[in-house]
Amino acid sequence: MTDLSNLVAQCGVKLYDTEVVNENGRVIYRVYITKDGGVKLDDCEAVSKLLSPIYDVMPPVSGDYILEVSSPGLERKLSKFEHFAASIGELAKINLNDKTEIKGKIIGVSEDSVAIEPDQEIKFEDIKKARTYMEW
C-alpha cells in the first residue's frame, strides 16, 4: 500500500484506504483518497488516469474488475489508527467483537486504543468495525 500512497501523492492527494467489493456480480476495486479542503472530481479523475495504465499491466485483483476512485465521504469507515486520529472531534459508531455498539465523539487516540466521550477507552483489538456518522 506504500507504493500506492506514493503514486496517489503525485496527484496531490493522500491515500485513505482501498477495498474490494462485489456488487451486482461485478468486482470493484475502490481507492479512497483525501485532500485538505476536500476531494474534487478532478482529483479522482487524475488518480484514475494515473492508476489505470499501471493496473492494466499489474492488476490489483485477479479477474475482471472496475476501478473506482473517490473520497471516503462524511460517513466513512475507520479501520486504521490514522483514520481514528484524523477523526478526533467527530462522532463515531463502533461495533465491538462482543456485539456491543458504542456511539460517541472521538476525543483521543493512543497507540492501542481510542477514547470516546464520555470517558470510554476502547482497545483497537476489541473493535470489529467502526465508522463516522453525522447527526442530521
Side-chain angles (χ1 to χ4, degrees), residues 24 30 36 41 47 49 54 62 93 106 113:
N24 301 321
R30 289 196 177 120
D36 290 341
L41 189 56
V47 171
K49 283 183 177 179
I54 295 168
S62 60
K93 180 172 29 172
I106 299 172
S113 64

Side-chain angles (χ1 to χ4, degrees), residues 67-121:
L67 172 65
E68 280 186 6
V69 179
S70 71
S71 155
L74 292 174
E75 294 187 349
R76 63 197 172 281
K77 180 174 78 169
L78 304 171
S79 60
K80 300 176 183 170
F81 170 85
E82 295 84 9
H83 296 169
F84 285 93
S87 300
I88 291 174
E90 295 184 57
L91 295 173
K93 180 172 29 172
I94 300 172
N95 295 325
L96 303 179
N97 293 326
D98 69 3
K99 298 193 170 127
T100 305
E101 181 178 279
I102 297 171
K103 286 183 171 182
K105 184 184 286 187
I106 299 172
I107 55 174
V109 179
S110 70
E111 67 181 47
D112 65 347
S113 64
V114 59
I116 302 290
E117 204 173 62
D119 284 340
Q120 289 190 325
E121 193 83 14

